[in-house]
Amino acid sequence: MFTSIQIADGVYSVGCRDWNVRDFHGYSTYQGTTYNAFLILGEKNILIDTVKKPFTDEFLANISAIIPPEKIDIVISNHTEMDHTGALPHIMRKIGEDTPIYCSKMGEKNLKSHFSQNYQYKVVGSGDKLTVGNRTLSFLETKMLHWPDSMFTYLEEEQILFCSDAFGQHYCSSAVYDDELQEDIMPQAKKYYANILLPFSTKVQALLKDVAKMDLQIRMLCPDHGIFWRKDPGKIINAYDVWSKQAPNQKAVVLYDTMWESTTKMATAIVSGLESEKIQTILMNTRRCHRSDIITEVLDAGAIAVGSPTLNNNIFPVIADIMTYIKGLKPQNKLALAFGSYGWSGEAVKQLNEEFAAMKMETVDNGLRVQYVPEEKDLAACFDLGKKLGESLNQRIQEQE
Ligand code: FEO
């Protein structure tokens, strides 16, 4: 059980830890996750968000350790996705279905689609303030970060920003705050950004500017997943600034799959070519690396090379899977290169180039196909292509500095 924890004067974390989840709708969560929710006590008692449905009993026990749930006066729903609303219907039955639920306009629409039409929805928007007893809450809509309904809630008296999915990590441990960690949390935060927020990077940039303009004093950032940023909220805000800008780095990812190791040989030679240009390169076999780890590496790479054998006139299925995933996450500002071996038809390289075009990635070459098994001259051509990709990346970095 996740013991309820006081995180500020009259403010409690009442969420649940999910130690064992390893697949979060397709995202690999090697270290589990948490579903954070918050209880603010005062002249009126406020609940911010709930938890995933299977954790309802544990959640209720966490609340009950502080106050009888019936004493909750208002509910705030920062985000409709069911890892934060799954327990809502049960909670509403417990505390009274006429308890007001504050949410964004899209939050109301989405909550009605998921649950009951009959709750007492109270729509709030950016800049709205709500005085509840001796507490002052203000709201900031964060549409498409990462759902249309998403919003933040700011508790003025304690200077806490409850920031929903933003700044979160799928990470479960005994640590509650950033200053209690025994390990570096940033790889988990980066993975979370790459898999959840990357397609909305332009909006992240706009949000960071809005938050700066509002001059919000943020003593603590409390996301709905993972640890709370108490010691250094600026660390994760600055990281979001860097990740959302997507400036090219001197880093490349070479993704490939193979049937009889011919495409492996090509990939290895391309890595050497990239390294000859001092590009830090990561080689990833798509059947051995999870797609959510691959996109995490792609996030801060300036170039990707993708190698696929041709199977039944098509891109190899595992490569098609990762290309679909990458396309949906819309990484920007990447150079690209296609390669692969084939037996008799060899469509994969052409199809990969079409995928790159659809993703608005700039290809540095038409790519390279090799029939059956690469010879020395073919591997030399792969090296040269890797080098060419590296030179182009170095040039792009210079131009954008
Ligand atoms: Fe953690 Fe978008 O839900």
Side-chain angles (χ1 to χ4, degrees), residues 24-25 34-35 79-84 145-147 149-150 164-165 170 192 196 224-225:
F24 195 99
H25 53 49
T34 67
Y35 311 110
H79 178 27
T80 314
E81 195 166 5
M82 283 185 283
D83 46 334
H84 310 297
L145 291 177
H146 70 122
W147 271 27
D149 53 70
S150 300
S164 186
D165 276 342
H170 282 312
Y192 192 94
I196 310 248
D224 273 357
H225 298 287

Side-chain angles (χ1 to χ4, degrees), residues 17-23 29 31-33 172:
R17 289 185 288 189
D18 190 348
W19 291 97
N20 292 315
V21 63
R22 289 293 178 271
D23 182 325
T29 48
Q31 289 175 279
T33 193
C172 184

